[in-house]
Amino acid sequence: MLATIIFNALWVGFLGGVLASLVRAGWQQLFRTEEATKTEALSIGGGVFIDFSRGLFLLMSIVLIIVFIIWANYDSSITQGSGTLFGLIVWIVIDQNYKVVTKQKPFFWHLPWQQTVVEIIGFLLWGWTMYLVAIGLPISGVYF
């Protein structure tokens, strides 16, 4: 049974992680500041750039939705708030604690409040999208 849950979580997690990361990137693209658009990207020629931060977030989304699906199969309390609770937990643990400790960015109270609101809403939409994909594909085992 665990092998079936993990197998289903892998392919549903891949689909959901890609979609959720695109939703979050699209949301944050609406509210980009001039300094936020200056990212470290690698040019591969012909005007094509690779943005490693978005690539890492895509991989993180895939891994975290797999964790979300496996967790929801054993304890459905994580689906409270239709996945937005999970998005808020990820924002607190990863975006606030990990990135601050590794000095990738300052605490949210050192940023403009508008940027913090956009980030929080982006993670809430990200978690909600993961939840919608998980319940939309019933093979994942996550239900209402």
Side-chain angles (χ1 to χ4, degrees):
M1 172 144 160
L2 179 63
T4 305
I5 292 172
I6 291 174
F7 177 74
N8 292 336
L10 287 174
W11 72 270
V12 172
F14 177 77
L15 295 173
V18 169
L19 182 63
S21 66
L22 289 174
V23 166
R24 181 178 170 267
W27 169 259
Q28 289 188 333
Q29 191 66 29
L30 290 173
F31 303 101
R32 295 298 264 189
T33 61
E34 184 177 329
E35 66 185 40
T37 56
K38 298 174 184 174
T39 60
E40 294 181 19
L42 175 67
S43 173
I44 58 174
V48 177
F49 292 90
I50 299 173
D51 188 355
F52 288 109
S53 64
R54 291 187 193 236
L56 287 174
F57 188 78
L58 174 66
L59 292 175
M60 183 187 76
S61 292
I62 292 169
V63 169
L64 286 175
I65 192 170
I66 292 169
V67 169
F68 175 76
I69 291 171
I70 293 171
W71 188 351
N73 272 285
Y74 290 103
D75 181 20
S76 63
S77 65
I78 193 62
T79 62
Q80 296 295 320
S82 299
T84 56
L85 175 65
F86 187 71
L88 188 64
I89 290 170
V90 169
W91 177 72
I92 292 169
V93 171
I94 293 177
D95 200 58
Q96 292 306 301
N97 291 330
Y98 175 73
K99 287 188 175 182
V100 169
V101 169
T102 59
K103 299 185 193 279
Q104 293 179 9
K105 65 185 241 180
F107 277 113
F108 68 92
W109 57 76
H110 294 293
L111 298 171
W113 68 269
Q114 298 93 336
Q115 184 178 353
T116 302
V117 169
V118 168
E119 283 187 15
I120 291 172
I121 292 173
F123 273 96
L124 294 177
L125 287 172
W126 174 79
W128 185 47
T129 305
M130 290 190 333
Y131 174 75
L132 290 176
V133 169
I135 64 169
L137 296 169
I139 195 137
S140 69
V142 179
Y143 304 106
F144 292 103

